[in-house]
Amino acid sequence: DADVTQTPRNRITKTGKRIMLECSQTKGHDRMYWYRQDPGLGLRLIYYSFDVKDINKGEISDGYSVSRQAQAKFSLSLESAIPNQTALYFCATSDFTQGELFFGEGSRLTVL
Amino acid sequence: GIQVEQSPPDLILQEGANSTLRCNFSDSVNNLQWFHQNPWGQLINLFYIPSGTKQNGRLSATTVATERYSLLYISSSQTTDSGVYFCAVEYNTNAGKSTFGDGTTLTVKP
């Protein structure tokens, strides 16, 4: 089983719908991240959490919200999806002592 | 602002050739990682290398932190090396958050 698991792996939805992407990890890391990847570009940070009570906006947080339900779980929500949120979304974890990132397999979201 | 620049943006090789990918960064770093994104979109950790040199099989990486660049070497390339290679940098001034370059797309032809 993967150390960082994302669900769903693929989702097609319509404009205006609420969508939640979930991430769980078994690495025991404190830090969790949500990144977005658009075609031909690198990953951009949406939100990050250094522990359960610490949640911070990244560079592209508008239109997104997150919840850190437990150390091992970090979910990303799109309250009202729009077509330009069509992208590949990645969850990642890291340990605060070292900082090496470990990624989930990605969630491909299409908003029609 | 915070920048990570990767070059070249695209690279096409014949199987068996060697290549060097470059990552330039604009400030002092805590961490630097190289990733390979395969054609299925998965991100694979290659190297965690804030400084120095590491080798793993046909791949090696060198980071010269004082000159603000890192190099990824691929020797005897194989078709399975195709994909996008990303450099991700955690700057001292942005601790805990990594900034990605736009990647180098490598195509290895048989």
Side-chain angles (χ1 to χ4, degrees):
Chain A
D1 288 342
D3 293 328
V4 184
T5 303
Q6 294 184 227
T7 57
R9 295 290 311 283
N10 289 284
R11 182 72 182 268
I12 300 173
T13 190
K14 294 182 178 180
T15 298
K17 295 291 187 181
R18 183 178 187 273
I19 296 296
M20 179 180 289
L21 306 180
E22 297 183 320
C23 177
S24 62
Q25 53 114 347
T26 58
K27 297 189 74 68
H29 288 166
D30 293 320
R31 296 180 172 184
M32 298 188 73
Y33 306 82
W34 277 104
Y35 282 90
R36 166 179 172 159
Q37 185 182 23
D38 294 286
L41 297 178
L43 280 68
R44 292 181 292 166
L45 185 61
I46 306 172
Y47 269 95
Y48 62 102
S49 171
F50 285 174
D51 64 39
V52 174
K53 296 182 180 180
D54 179 64
I55 293 178
N56 304 279
K57 294 181 177 181
E59 59 181 309
I60 56 164
S61 59
D62 287 349
Y64 302 94
S65 62
V66 292
S67 174
R68 184 84 183 264
Q69 300 94 327
Q71 186 199 34
K73 296 184 182 294
F74 193 36
S75 60
L76 176 72
S77 293
L78 290 67
E79 297 300 327
S80 180
I82 56 177
N84 76 2
Q85 291 177 313
T86 293
L88 183 57
Y89 291 85
F90 286 99
C91 174
T93 73
S94 72
D95 181 85
F96 82 99
T97 59
Q98 190 197 42
E100 184 176 3
L101 285 170
F102 295 89
F103 281 89
E105 294 187 336
S107 296
R108 192 171 298 277
L109 176 65
T110 301
V111 184
L112 302 176
Chain B
I2 294 172
Q3 292 188 6
V4 179
E5 296 181 351
Q6 292 188 241
S7 60
D10 299 282
L11 187 58
I12 301 174
L13 301 174
Q14 286 298 130
E15 199 167 25
N18 302 329
S19 62
T20 301
L21 283 60
R22 186 177 181 102
C23 173
N24 290 336
F25 44 93
S26 56
D27 206 343
S28 301
V29 299
N30 288 333
N31 300 312
L32 188 145
Q33 286 184 255
W34 283 97
F35 295 91
H36 175 214
Q37 187 170 39
N38 66 22
W40 296 271
Q42 295 174 318
L43 285 163
I44 299 163
N45 290 37
L46 296 178
F47 294 101
Y48 172 75
I49 186 166
S51 63
T53 297
K54 292 185 177 180
Q55 182 158 3
N56 184 3
R58 296 182 295 104
L59 274 61
S60 64
T62 295
T63 296
V64 184
T66 54
E67 297 185 21
R68 299 181 181 173
Y69 72 89
S70 182
L71 302 174
L72 177 68
Y73 304 97
I74 304 174
S75 64
S76 303
S77 58
Q78 301 176 357
T79 56
T80 52
D81 294 331
S82 295
V84 184
Y85 290 80
F86 288 106
C87 169
V89 171
E90 180 190 324
Y91 287 102
N92 290 350
T93 55
N94 210 23
K97 297 176 288 182
S98 289
T99 300
F100 280 73
D102 285 340
T104 292
T105 301
L106 176 64
T107 303
V108 181
K109 295 187 172 183

